[in-house]
Amino acid sequence: MRNYITALGLLLGLGLSAQTHQIEKHNGESLDVNFIKYEDDILHYSSEGSDQEFRISKHAVAYLHDKNVASKEAITSKIIIDSKKDFDKVAVLDNEQAVGLNKQKDIEIYHGINKGGTSHFIKEDTIRRLKYKSAELGYPFITIIGKSNGKYSAVAYNY
């Protein structure tokens, strides 16, 4: 009788410690995780047997599968950049929102000031030119990292 109770306890204990969710990334990779929370476009999760909390950007995740109720929630759709004409699809992210994306290339442009131009228009034009350059290279995400002496730099990311 004691063996049956012990076996039953082990089976129930294994079910409680099993992974409850599966994260399916846009690059085809799947992660079995314990989902914690979704906050500020970041998914927080932990791996099996670990108390450490990991983070991943919503832009890197296609679906979140809940294994307990067999449901599938779409997080984001994949952004496909075919040519430089798709520059309006390029997303400008903060550094924190790029967690889980693959850093691809540093992008730099030089922006001179046009006669009569204001700083507001310069900022919009600079972002447009950085997005255009990223689309030309085929990368759907950029983070703007700095500006010095009219030279703007950004980092391009891919799935």
Side-chain angles (χ1 to χ4, degrees), residues 141-159:
F141 305 105
I142 59 169
T143 59
I144 299 171
I145 55 174
K147 164 187 120 166
S148 68
N149 297 332
K151 185 179 186 181
Y152 292 83
S153 55
V155 178
Y157 290 90
N158 203 353
Y159 300 107

Side-chain angles (χ1 to χ4, degrees), residues 21 23 33-46 53-56 64 75:
H21 290 79
I23 293 176
V33 300
N34 289 323
F35 179 68
I36 298 173
K37 63 182 174 180
Y38 179 70
E39 175 179 76
D40 297 330
D41 295 339
I42 304 288
L43 281 83
H44 298 264
Y45 66 92
S46 65
E53 185 175 309
F54 298 100
R55 302 176 319 143
I56 189 167
L64 180 64
I75 302 297

Side-chain angles (χ1 to χ4, degrees), residues 15 24-25 48 79 82 93 95 130 134:
E24 185 178 329
K25 296 170 70 175
E48 183 176 4
I79 300 172
D82 292 327
L93 306 176
N95 284 334
L130 285 169
S134 179

Side-chain angles (χ1 to χ4, degrees), residues 119-129:
S119 62
H120 175 71
F121 294 116
I122 291 171
K123 183 176 180 182
E124 287 180 5
D125 188 45
T126 302
I127 291 172
R128 184 188 53 75
R129 288 181 60 204

Side-chain angles (χ1 to χ4, degrees), residues 55-118:
R55 302 176 319 143
I56 189 167
S57 172
K58 78 169 187 174
H59 300 287
V61 177
Y63 298 102
L64 180 64
H65 302 277
D66 189 349
K67 293 180 180 180
N68 292 335
V69 293
S71 69
K72 181 177 180 179
E73 178 184 352
I75 302 297
T76 58
S77 57
K78 187 171 186 174
I79 300 172
I80 298 172
I81 305 292
D82 292 327
S83 67
K84 56 188 174 184
K85 293 178 183 176
D86 293 332
F87 75 93
D88 56 338
K89 293 181 183 178
V90 174
V92 179
L93 306 176
D94 294 334
N95 284 334
E96 294 121 19
Q97 293 176 332
V99 173
L101 296 170
N102 298 323
K103 180 180 175 181
Q104 297 297 316
K105 188 170 185 159
D106 293 332
I107 298 173
E108 293 181 346
I109 62 165
Y110 179 77
H111 191 78
I113 299 174
N114 296 332
K115 184 175 182 179
T118 65

